[in-house]
Amino acid sequence: MSYKVGIIGSGVAGLASAIRLAIAGHRVEVFEANAYPGGKLSEIKLGAYRFDAGPSLLTLPSLIDELFELAGENPVQYFTYQKLEINCEYFFPDGVNISAHADQEKLIEEIIQNTAERPENVRKALAKSRLLYEHLSELFMFSSLQDPKTFVSRHALKAYRKLHRLGFFQTMNGANASNFDDPRITQMFNRYATYNGSSPYKTPATMNIIPHLEMSLGAYFPAGGMHSITLALYDLAKRLGVTFHFDQPVERILIEKGHVKGLMTGGLSLDFDRLVSNMDIVNSYRKLMPDLKAPRFLLNQPKSSSALIFYWGVGKKFPQLDLHNILFSRDYKAEFEHIFQRGVIFHDPTVYINITSRYQPSDAPEHGENWFTMINVPNNQGQNWEELITEARKNILNKITATLGEDIAPLIEVEEILDPRTIESKTSSALGALYGNSSNNLFAAFLRHANKSRRVKGLYFCGGSVHPGGGIPMSLSSAKLVAKYFH
């Protein structure tokens, strides 16, 4: 049966949902409040510099290829990428620098040459991450936790037999600190908690599944930068007949007798058989369905961290930096306590620098580099952000200068800032939280909203704020789960 489907929001999950539903024969229209598609996966241009505005790491590109293949197209004609040889450059406060090679033996050699870590501990951590992926990915990334069949599937039965080894009852830091001898390597593996906006001191050790995606399956750079993902999927959706309405925020989801009736935009009521909301789940309820009884327990879960990003055009090249760079804090635990307990920014934050001009030279003029400079910060709780941003900028510059041995402040030719307030306003993310609910408790995976509404027939949800979680692979998976419900 063919349905008339409205999709609210054109983030990567909204685009993927539109593609899958159009392929299935449905008539699809997408409504986007911004003038451009992509949501967080957009771009910024400042003079001669171009920046990917949001997500900067690509893993599991096969999930993108799959969308083209489903449409009967060859993905390499529309979307190409290359595997990184160096996943990340790590800079520690004591002057140690570790190049995280994609080749695991080279990575291990790099670690043992620069730290006191034993190679068997690194191999053990990588093997454990693989074990977690093999036993949990199908359950928590690619299956619906709303479907009782999930918990009696062969994947679930396989996981139950290894339950004692899957880290449900230990924190990420607890597992890593007990495995590694060198605290720098513990910190290096702990940072993966930030991939879903959580604290390694609170999130369960099951989150050690994440290193496998990057260190074993690989990290990639798409030709044209991360924004090329948006452009490729947007063009594919249009070729499939999807209609897009930009600068057209949805004001209401229309419900009649427990069924979707349509949506309201620009004061007009439009009829749809089914709706998919790619808007943050909190705002989906509070702004679009204010009269519907909301699942307060799920919506009121603590939210993930946010980000403070400085887009800097830097008028010099720094060969010691790569595509992805991490300048670690001296006191990682204190940094996360400031973010999640105090709601402020630590004076010595961990700094992430993404430089796409390393792989895409046209993103910066010949003499410079485009620095996407980010720190993890609390979500928006009404803090004095002007004061926090001013202080953070100074501390970030001091940290970079100390690491590189050169004052970079005079080298900054252009600058734009994205903070939790503008993340909230541009992407409708509640409190500016990047990943919806945080994963700072043992049951976090079960505390995300389902992809199908139990309250309203014909209503579905996709994106990083619902199951299975935040990040590009998870968002693409949420679209796949939504499409399954239409069968």
Side-chain angles (χ1 to χ4, degrees):
M1 181 179 293
S2 175
Y3 297 104
K4 185 180 180 184
V5 182
I7 296 180
I8 303 166
S10 65
V12 68
L15 291 171
S17 295
I19 290 165
R20 287 182 176 275
L21 295 176
I23 290 170
H26 303 293
R27 294 160 292 154
V28 183
E29 296 185 38
V30 179
F31 296 82
E32 170 58 55
N34 292 312
Y36 52 84
K40 298 182 183 76
L41 199 59
S42 57
E43 69 176 1
I44 292 172
K45 293 181 179 179
L46 301 174
Y49 295 90
R50 191 205 72 88
F51 305 85
D52 287 316
S56 58
L57 176 69
L58 176 60
T59 57
L60 295 183
S62 58
L63 295 176
I64 299 170
D65 291 340
E66 181 181 64
L67 295 170
F68 290 93
E69 291 162 357
L70 286 171
E73 297 186 352
N74 183 351
V76 299
Q77 292 183 321
Y78 303 97
F79 178 68
T80 59
Y81 48 86
Q82 64 184 102
K83 188 175 183 180
L84 304 183
E85 293 185 8
I86 301 290
N87 289 336
C88 189
E89 291 286 348
Y90 292 100
F91 298 87
F92 294 89
D94 60 2
V96 168
N97 168 217
I98 292 176
S99 299
H101 294 270
D103 183 307
Q104 291 190 355
E105 288 306 311
K106 288 183 179 179
L107 170 64
I108 292 168
E109 183 64 25
E110 179 86 2
I111 288 173
I112 63 175
Q113 283 187 357
N114 289 283
T115 72
E117 197 54 71
R118 290 178 290 167
E120 58 265 33
N121 291 345
V122 182
R123 290 193 176 93
K124 182 180 175 182
L126 294 172
K128 182 61 177 289
S129 188
R130 178 185 295 274
L131 175 79
L132 291 171
Y133 188 84
E134 289 174 347
H135 286 78
L136 297 179
S137 62
E138 188 62 38
L139 279 176
F140 291 97
M141 291 175 65
F142 305 116
S143 299
S144 170
L145 297 184
Q146 190 181 20
D147 186 349
K149 293 179 182 177
T150 296
F151 298 97
V152 293
S153 66
R154 64 183 179 87
H155 300 288
L157 297 176
K158 180 182 175 184
Y160 296 152
R161 289 194 291 268
K162 299 280 187 180
L163 196 61
H164 62 292
R165 298 183 58 194
L166 299 181
F168 283 100
F169 309 109
Q170 191 178 21
T171 66
M172 174 183 271
N173 177 71
N176 290 334
S178 65
N179 180 67
F180 296 115
D181 298 326
D182 194 305
R184 287 168 294 197
I185 307 307
T186 298
Q187 188 174 24
M188 184 172 149
F189 276 75
N190 276 352
R191 75 168 280 253
Y192 288 99
T194 66
Y195 281 36
N196 64 7
S198 302
S199 164
Y201 304 94
K202 290 182 175 293
T203 200
T206 51
M207 288 299 113
N208 278 323
I209 192 175
I210 301 174
H212 181 70
L213 295 176
E214 181 177 309
M215 294 181 166
S216 298
L217 300 181
Y220 298 82
F221 181 78
M226 296 295 286
H227 185 238
S228 68
I229 299 171
T230 291
L231 297 179
L233 295 185
Y234 173 57
D235 288 342
L236 174 58
K238 288 194 295 181
R239 289 197 298 276
L240 292 168
V242 176
T243 302
F244 286 84
H245 306 275
F246 293 107
D247 291 315
Q248 199 137 342
V250 172
E251 295 145 5
R252 284 286 186 277
I253 289 175
L254 303 177
I255 301 166
E256 189 174 277
K257 296 180 180 179
H259 288 72
V260 157
K261 183 182 177 183
L263 57 80
M264 180 178 288
T265 177
L268 298 175
S269 297
L270 303 177
D271 291 338
F272 285 94
D273 302 316
R274 297 189 175 189
L275 293 178
V276 180
S277 179
N278 184 205
M279 181 184 275
D280 180 278
I281 191 65
V282 173
N283 288 328
S284 289
Y285 277 97
R286 294 180 179 166
K287 293 185 177 181
L288 304 186
M289 300 179 289
D291 300 325
L292 185 71
K293 184 178 180 181
R296 291 184 181 179
F297 180 72
L298 290 183
L299 299 191
N300 291 334
Q301 289 297 308
K303 298 294 175 279
S304 78
S305 58
S306 187
L308 173 60
I309 304 171
F310 295 90
Y311 304 96
W312 285 333
V314 177
K316 183 178 178 178
K317 293 182 182 293
F318 288 84
Q320 62 268 57
L321 299 177
D322 206 282
L323 174 65
H324 301 293
N325 309 274
I326 293 287
L327 284 58
F328 273 122
S329 163
R330 287 187 181 277
D331 191 338
Y332 216 34
K333 189 172 185 179
E335 181 178 1
F336 285 98
E337 286 176 349
H338 277 70
I339 293 171
F340 289 104
Q341 275 77 57
R342 303 187 190 183
V344 294
I345 302 174
F346 190 44
H347 67 86
D348 177 29
T350 294
V351 179
Y352 167 69
I353 304 174
N354 173 243
I355 308 174
T356 61
S357 58
R358 277 275 180 264
Y359 283 75
Q360 192 77 30
S362 60
D363 284 351
E366 190 174 344
H367 69 280
E369 297 177 333
N370 62 333
W371 286 22
F372 168 110
T373 309
M374 187 194 89
I375 61 172
N376 296 299
V377 301
N379 53 50
N380 183 22
Q381 300 154 30
Q383 299 95 323
N384 184 340
W385 284 108
E386 297 308 321
E387 183 179 300
L388 289 174
I389 291 168
T390 299
E391 185 68 16
R393 186 181 189 277
K394 180 182 71 175
N395 291 333
I396 291 169
L397 288 170
N398 288 341
K399 189 175 192 70
I400 296 173
T401 296
T403 302
L404 300 181
E406 182 171 353
D407 184 6
I408 70 151
L411 300 173
I412 297 173
E413 297 181 343
V414 294
E415 176 182 76
E416 189 163 318
I417 301 172
L418 188 69
D419 64 62
R421 299 167 302 177
T422 43
I423 291 172
E424 187 171 12
S425 63
K426 287 183 176 182
T427 67
S428 291
S429 300
L431 306 182
L434 290 179
Y435 306 96
N437 292 350
S438 80
S439 295
N440 286 339
N441 66 69
L442 299 179
F443 305 102
F446 302 96
L447 296 176
R448 286 188 173 272
H449 197 285
N451 305 106
K452 180 181 180 181
S453 176
R454 290 177 176 172
R455 289 168 167 78
V456 181
K457 290 185 178 180
L459 178 61
Y460 305 84
F461 303 96
C462 65
S465 69
V466 297
H467 178 72
I472 293 173
M474 300 289 212
S475 292
L476 292 170
S477 180
S478 74
K480 193 171 185 177
L481 291 170
V482 164
K484 284 181 179 179
Y485 283 119
F486 276 66
H487 292 165

